[in-house]
Amino acid sequence: MAFSSSVLNGERAVVVIFIGRVLYSLPLSFLAHGLMLSVLAAFALYVEVRADTSNSLSIFRTRPGVSSGILLGSTTVPTVMLSKLIQLSRAFALHQVEFGELYYTTIQYWATSASCFSVLVFLCLFILRSPKTTHAPCPCSVRDAKFSSKWIALCAAACCMSFALLLIGGLSASLKFLWVLCHGLAAIELVRHFLTTFPSCVSIGEALLVTMGLVLYFGDMLTCTAAKLFGYLPLSMVPVQHAMKRTEIGIINQGFLLALLLFPIVFKYLLCVRECYLSSANSEARRDDEIAKSLIFFVSLGCMLIMIAPSWMQFVEDFHLHPLLWVISFVFSEPFKRLSLCVYWVCVIYVSVLRFYNISKNSKIERILLRKYYHLMAVSMFLPALIFQPEFLDLAFGAALAVFLGLEIIRVWRIWPFGKLVHEFMNAFTDHRDSDLLVISHFSLLLGCALPIWMSVGYNDRPLAPFAGILSLGIGDTMASVVGYKYGVLRWSKTGSKKNHRRDCGWHNLCPSCLLRFASTSSIHWIHS
């Protein structure tokens, strides 16, 4: 009985229900895929229970007051990919998609499963090396989290296990295995880097979600580039035109978002070069250099967004115009509808932000309830656009996410003259769930609304699937927070306490991670319901 009470809680029950719903929808041809997902979920549950009942993963300073979320973080992306794979199999049976698209999605599913399995092996090593007590701190240091030959071997073994049911003979199998292995190694390094670079900002499950998304996104970019270079996919020898169908909007969103994600690495390198130059110069030259730092930032950012990223887009998609000019041309192809929608969005954002910002400074309303007004604002903004202009909304989501990334980079790096202003503005809407180092709430809201829409691009036999994120976040999540804050008396789990609240919701954890969690699980449900 004690074991069951320590294993079962609300969050894990929801995850198990949605995984079971997807497994129930599996055709017999995907039996191996379902077996892999079941093994992955069982392993993730074991790791999460061990992590929550001990101090073994204390080396990673995660966001306090929340559960680890390992089960949810390690199964969400593979479950979503398997859902998409089931949908494509129905389309393939109706001769509405090519075999290459189905095959490429299969490779992506096994790559994400192998990545999650590798990260779980990585975390399990820390649990096994930790002291057999729940109070003693872990003697490992952050440096110990880096790769060693033993960990690489274990990662390779994990990738072999996750891909063993799909391997076939020949060169194609070797290339597929190498591709999956690279995903696993990249996932381990990204999780370690994310948890150590942004301490107390996210839980392990949230870091897993971000890592799986980045690995899948960057892997897809490399596949597009390799396919264009060699004319054939390096994984399956399937011609590009049958497997790599991309829309112009999808390529533009992917190019700009990946450029912004890579930009901090480039900017950090430029600052290091400048520091080396200044260290060899006269000491008089080392003065307040905020303006110079800002100049380097905006010049390098402009080069990244105007030259480098568009060059990749034109190479992959063969744009006849510069991608930025293509965006302008796309907006003015239906000027009345799309410009009117832009004006409507600007008015809603201006009125809402101005109103809520004043309330946040002068009112005693809880921040968690105040931020739910933005969920209702998202419904009023995105729902009409999704009905009347879905392609334009697709592009707008990418632009909004790019703006959020740019502002967050400016805030984190304290770029003059906007860094301080952005930081002060964001602080008006943050609470104990966010950190001064990294604010993720607005990303969770935007991604929760956008991901179901992006996943529905192309073949989609479930008309309500694109609405899953907007409805679950704008209505379901808001009602969960309001009702739970006022009437809730139970908690998801013992580790999910919120000491700053007198009451917590028993069916909602009232944390920013739940935004993306409930949007993702709702997407799975709507796709197969």
Side-chain angles (χ1 to χ4, degrees):
M1 185 68 181
F3 175 79
S4 62
S5 62
S6 63
V7 172
L8 298 178
N9 58 42
E11 179 180 294
R12 295 169 188 165
V14 170
V15 175
V16 170
I17 289 173
F18 280 108
I19 292 178
R21 179 68 179 90
V22 174
L23 294 178
Y24 179 77
S25 304
L26 281 177
L28 291 178
S29 58
F30 290 151
L31 184 61
H33 304 68
L35 180 61
M36 178 60 214
L37 182 60
S38 303
V39 172
L40 181 66
F43 188 26
L45 180 61
Y46 166 77
V47 175
E48 181 175 299
V49 172
R50 287 291 302 270
D52 289 344
T53 56
S54 67
N55 203 28
S56 53
L57 297 181
S58 60
I59 177 177
F60 301 116
R61 290 184 294 165
T62 58
R63 185 156 56 91
V66 298
S67 61
S68 62
I70 296 175
L71 175 62
L72 179 64
S74 58
T75 57
T76 297
V77 178
T79 306
V80 171
M81 292 303 301
L82 186 56
S83 303
K84 188 66 176 178
L85 193 57
I86 296 172
Q87 191 179 61
L88 288 177
S89 68
R90 295 196 296 262
F92 179 70
L94 298 174
H95 305 286
Q96 296 185 3
V97 299
E98 299 289 341
F99 173 76
E101 187 174 354
L102 178 65
Y103 195 88
Y104 181 61
T105 306
T106 302
I107 296 297
Q108 286 186 313
Y109 166 74
W110 287 100
T112 53
S113 299
S115 301
C116 294
F117 205 94
S118 302
V119 173
L120 291 176
V121 172
F122 175 74
L123 297 175
C124 191
L125 284 171
F126 281 97
I127 295 175
L128 296 177
R129 292 179 58 188
S130 64
K132 303 298 183 180
T133 176
T134 58
H135 302 288
C138 181
C140 304
S141 63
V142 174
R143 187 179 300 274
D144 293 335
K146 295 185 177 180
F147 287 135
S148 67
S149 58
K150 182 176 69 173
W151 290 355
I152 293 178
L154 286 172
C155 174
C159 292
C160 288
M161 293 175 59
S162 64
F163 206 59
L165 296 174
L166 196 69
L167 282 178
I168 57 176
L171 176 63
S172 178
S174 302
L175 292 175
K176 286 183 291 186
F177 170 72
L178 179 62
W179 187 247
V180 171
L181 176 61
C182 291
H183 276 74
L185 295 176
I188 292 179
E189 177 60 19
L190 277 176
V191 163
R192 184 200 63 80
H193 180 76
F194 197 86
L195 291 174
T196 55
T197 305
F198 302 103
S200 304
C201 292
V202 294
S203 66
I204 296 179
E206 291 167 338
L208 264 167
L209 276 175
V210 173
T211 297
M212 292 305 107
L214 291 178
V215 168
L216 191 63
Y217 215 40
F218 277 98
D220 185 71
M221 180 202 71
L222 293 176
T223 304
C224 289
T225 306
K228 191 68 175 182
L229 284 173
F230 303 111
Y232 288 91
L233 286 176
L235 304 181
S236 59
M237 307 303 174
V238 177
V240 180
Q241 62 267 24
H242 296 302
M244 299 297 294
K245 294 182 179 179
R246 296 290 187 273
T247 63
E248 290 87 352
I249 294 176
I251 290 294
I252 288 175
N253 286 339
Q254 188 174 22
F256 282 125
L257 292 178
L258 290 177
L260 285 170
L261 290 171
L262 291 173
F263 174 73
I265 302 176
V266 176
F267 182 59
K268 185 177 180 179
Y269 174 77
L270 293 176
L271 290 182
C272 290
V273 172
R274 184 172 181 272
E275 286 294 326
C276 294
Y277 172 76
L278 290 180
S279 62
S280 60
N282 297 330
S283 58
E284 297 179 357
R286 299 183 59 84
R287 59 182 182 270
D288 189 15
D289 57 348
E290 290 298 320
I291 298 179
K293 178 181 175 182
S294 176
L295 182 62
I296 294 174
F297 176 87
F298 288 110
V299 170
S300 56
L301 180 62
C303 292
M304 182 72 76
L305 297 181
I306 298 176
M307 297 175 59
I308 299 177
S311 299
W312 176 81
M313 299 176 206
Q314 289 179 312
F315 172 75
V316 171
E317 189 60 28
D318 294 329
F319 282 92
H320 299 293
L321 294 173
H322 189 281
L324 292 178
L325 295 178
W326 187 94
V327 171
I328 296 175
S329 175
F330 175 77
V331 173
F332 282 94
S333 62
E334 295 183 18
F336 177 75
K337 295 180 180 179
R338 291 168 181 169
L339 291 179
S340 300
L341 194 58
C342 290
V343 172
Y344 169 70
W345 285 343
V346 170
C347 294
V348 171
I349 292 173
Y350 177 78
V351 173
S352 301
V353 170
L354 184 64
R355 174 63 177 169
F356 297 155
Y357 184 71
N358 293 331
I359 292 177
S360 66
K361 293 191 301 183
N362 304 319
S363 176
K364 295 182 180 180
I365 299 178
E366 287 285 341
R367 295 281 179 87
I368 186 62
L369 299 181
L370 181 62
R371 295 195 303 188
K372 298 307 171 182
Y373 290 123
Y374 283 99
H375 293 214
L376 299 177
M377 182 186 74
V379 175
S380 63
M381 289 178 59
F382 301 145
L383 197 57
L386 181 57
I387 296 174
F388 298 108
Q389 286 289 323
E391 290 186 353
F392 184 60
L393 180 62
D394 189 4
L395 180 64
F397 273 133
L401 187 57
V403 171
F404 282 175
L405 282 172
L407 291 178
E408 187 65 12
I409 294 172
I410 291 174
R411 189 191 69 84
V412 171
W413 285 94
R414 299 290 197 273
I415 301 299
W416 181 88
F418 306 109
K420 184 178 179 180
L421 297 175
V422 174
H423 181 72
E424 292 176 352
F425 177 80
M426 293 300 299
N427 277 343
F429 302 99
T430 58
D431 55 16
H432 64 282
R433 297 162 188 80
D434 290 307
S435 169
D436 288 338
L437 186 59
L438 193 66
V439 180
I440 62 173
S441 299
H442 52 304
F443 290 104
S444 300
L445 175 59
L446 185 63
L447 285 173
C449 294
L451 284 177
I453 298 174
W454 287 342
M455 288 182 59
S456 302
V457 174
Y459 176 81
N460 178 36
D461 57 355
R462 295 294 184 266
L464 291 178
F467 296 87
I470 296 176
L471 296 179
S472 61
L473 289 179
I475 299 176
D477 184 79
T478 303
M479 293 300 296
S481 296
V482 173
V483 176
Y485 177 78
K486 189 171 183 179
Y487 301 107
V489 294
L490 302 176
R491 306 183 191 277
W492 269 113
S493 62
K494 296 180 180 179
T495 57
S497 61
K498 301 291 187 292
K499 296 182 179 180
N500 291 346
H501 288 72
R502 291 178 296 177
R503 295 171 178 168
D504 279 329
C505 178
W507 44 284
H508 185 65
N509 208 19
L510 291 183
C511 64
S513 64
C514 291
L515 303 177
L516 188 54
R517 294 176 181 180
F518 275 81
S520 301
T521 51
S522 298
S523 302
I524 300 171
H525 176 70
W526 282 108
I527 287 175
H528 296 283
S529 60

